[in-house]
Amino acid sequence: MNPRKLVRQMQASVDILRRPEKVVTMPYYFVVGTTTACPLNCIMCSRASVITEASRLGFAEYKQLIDTIRPLRVSVGDLGESLLDPDLDQKIRYTKEKGAVIDVVTSYVVSNFAPRALIETGLDLLKVSIDGATAETYEAIRGPYFETALKHTREIIELRKKLGSRTPYVFLQFVILRYNYKEIVDYVRLAAEIGADGIDYRPLLLDVALEGRERLIGDMAAEEVYSLLQEADRLAHTLHIRTNARILTRSTLRHHWALYNGAKSKPHDLKRCILPWYSTYVAADGGVYGCCILRFRGDGLLGNIHESDFASIWNGEAYQEFRSKMRAGHSPFQACYSCYPQSLADSFKYYLSTTPKLRLPILRR
């Protein structure tokens, strides 16, 4: 690791430990939405209730954000299909020129870019949301695009191998719902069959689960989900597929289930949250949020880059108030009370379980 990155990590660590209202360094981790365009209508997505008009973050705006923040890691994904952003290839290349690791979240149903074009950008990680091991299950959640998503995913994996490229690594994402939880183990087999590098099992966004509990959670039992995740973890280890299944069963999933059943996060839970000190979320319309959950619920707007520069927002009055209240365990935003923040240790374990090597020897099996 070069000295600049080491210094940034040390500064971010100090801010996380001290948790001041005004932080020393820009966000280490930058999550950004570049477009709200999307052809899908997924049953668990809050897009319809949050997006009032189409928006896209242009290359000039994105470049300015990268130059200002100088992040070490970037994740591209909003309430839209990232691969429909016509400037995405330029954005990835620029991010790589600046020395950051970048991943893109996609349904991979449609794309403005051929597989070779994506590979040649230097993209580090492609996260493909395929929430089922069978067409029937997938279609109940996302629509009739299962074979299309698999075809595109296979193509980029096969071409990557043919070109002798290590990247992009390809992870599959699986939101756990009543429609698909029985396929948790078969999903590992699917990932192995198409040559994916890993799986990210994701609990349902909590207040979405509460609003649509019967429709999205139904009779899904925590004990059965735990058992299936444990079996998936064993199979994944055998098939050399990286997964976060073990982390879920050992830490956060039981808390998610309590919240599914109507519990609310308490002050000591909110105090665990470290995101306000090292991460930020900028949406396609320029809105700045504390995290993806606040963005996906349309709650917690802290500013907009079309009205103020990011540096002013990052240490502005709204962000400082947010940090102050989160440090005390009292968020100003209701969405936070339907969230179970990970501890610093949990966050690190999750990062290791859902991140491929990406030049980091510690991540090797």
Side-chain angles (χ1 to χ4, degrees):
M1 179 176 292
N2 67 43
R4 181 184 70 83
K5 290 185 177 181
L6 183 60
V7 169
R8 287 292 305 282
Q9 287 188 334
M10 291 176 63
Q11 289 174 331
S13 298
V14 169
D15 282 334
I16 289 170
L17 293 172
R18 292 181 58 247
R19 303 195 179 199
E21 293 179 13
K22 189 171 183 178
V23 294
V24 173
T25 186
M26 287 284 136
Y28 171 102
Y29 181 39
F30 176 39
V31 186
V32 59
T34 61
T35 181
T36 58
C38 185
L40 304 184
N41 187 25
C42 304
I43 60 173
M44 66 289 197
C45 184
S46 60
R47 184 174 180 276
S49 62
V50 175
I51 303 299
T52 56
E53 60 182 42
S55 56
R56 186 173 72 84
L57 195 72
F59 177 72
E61 297 161 319
Y62 180 89
K63 180 178 181 295
Q64 185 173 16
L65 285 166
I66 294 295
D67 290 344
T68 299
I69 297 173
R70 297 178 295 110
L72 299 186
R73 175 147 190 163
V74 177
S75 289
V76 179
D78 197 2
L79 294 170
E81 172 50 65
S82 303
L83 296 183
L84 286 180
D85 175 11
D87 299 329
L88 183 63
D89 57 342
Q90 296 182 62
K91 292 166 182 167
I92 296 171
R93 290 179 189 278
Y94 191 73
T95 304
K96 295 304 299 176
E97 287 176 13
K98 294 301 178 179
V101 170
I102 181 168
D103 66 74
V104 169
V105 180
T106 176
S107 66
Y108 222 168
V109 169
V110 293
S111 176
N112 281 336
F113 307 97
R116 181 182 289 269
L118 281 177
I119 293 169
E120 291 177 348
T121 62
L123 177 66
D124 293 292
L125 174 61
L126 189 68
K127 297 181 178 181
V128 186
S129 298
I130 302 177
D131 305 292
T134 64
E136 181 181 5
T137 297
Y138 177 95
E139 289 173 10
I141 298 168
R142 290 185 177 265
Y145 310 107
F146 182 68
E147 293 300 334
T148 301
L150 285 185
K151 175 178 176 290
H152 290 161
T153 306
R154 281 193 182 99
E155 286 176 349
I156 196 166
I157 291 171
E158 290 171 1
L159 183 59
R160 180 191 69 183
K161 293 177 180 176
K162 183 178 178 180
L163 295 175
S165 175
R166 294 173 62 245
T167 58
Y169 291 93
V170 176
F171 271 43
L172 304 186
Q173 291 197 149
F174 184 103
V175 177
I176 302 171
L177 305 164
R178 74 174 183 88
Y179 297 88
N180 63 5
Y181 77 98
K182 292 183 182 295
E183 296 182 1
I184 283 174
V185 178
D186 286 337
Y187 199 67
V188 179
R189 298 186 180 95
L190 175 66
E193 187 270 321
I194 67 175
D197 301 290
I199 297 171
D200 185 6
Y201 291 107
R202 304 182 70 85
L204 188 63
L205 191 64
L206 292 164
D207 48 354
V208 173
L210 294 175
E211 289 175 6
R213 194 187 192 290
E214 290 304 313
R215 180 171 59 92
L216 300 174
I217 302 297
D219 60 357
M220 184 169 59
E223 295 77 12
E224 187 173 3
V225 174
Y226 293 156
S227 178
L228 290 169
L229 284 169
Q230 288 170 339
E231 185 178 350
D233 178 64
R234 291 190 293 270
L235 180 61
H237 183 74
T238 300
L239 297 177
H240 306 289
I241 301 291
R242 188 174 291 277
T243 172
N244 65 325
R246 187 175 305 180
I247 302 300
L248 286 178
T249 56
R250 290 184 177 179
S251 57
T252 60
L253 197 61
R254 63 189 176 88
H255 298 287
H256 278 80
W257 231 271
L259 293 168
Y260 288 165
N261 290 325
K264 291 289 186 181
S265 287
K266 295 181 171 54
H268 67 271
D269 296 322
L270 297 184
K271 287 179 181 180
R272 294 162 59 96
C273 185
I274 60 175
L275 293 178
W277 288 273
Y278 86 101
S279 176
T280 195
Y281 192 112
V282 177
D285 64 0
V288 179
Y289 298 83
C291 71
C292 62
I293 290 179
L294 292 172
R295 161 58 173 166
F296 292 170
R297 300 313 295 152
D299 189 16
L301 182 66
L302 298 168
N304 192 294
I305 62 167
H306 298 305
E307 299 169 3
S308 302
D309 64 89
F310 179 81
S312 298
I313 296 170
W314 177 239
N315 270 319
E317 183 177 340
Y319 234 122
Q320 289 192 47
E321 181 186 6
F322 179 44
R323 294 188 187 104
S324 175
K325 291 190 174 180
M326 288 296 288
R327 185 176 58 195
H330 302 290
S331 173
F333 309 122
Q334 285 303 308
C336 293
Y337 292 93
S338 293
C339 175
Y340 182 74
Q342 294 180 330
S343 67
L344 181 58
D346 285 341
S347 297
F348 183 66
K349 291 174 184 176
Y350 176 80
Y351 175 81
L352 291 181
S353 69
T354 59
T355 304
K357 296 168 186 146
L358 300 181
R359 304 190 304 271
L360 299 177
I362 192 173
L363 300 180
R364 293 176 183 163
R365 283 191 178 274

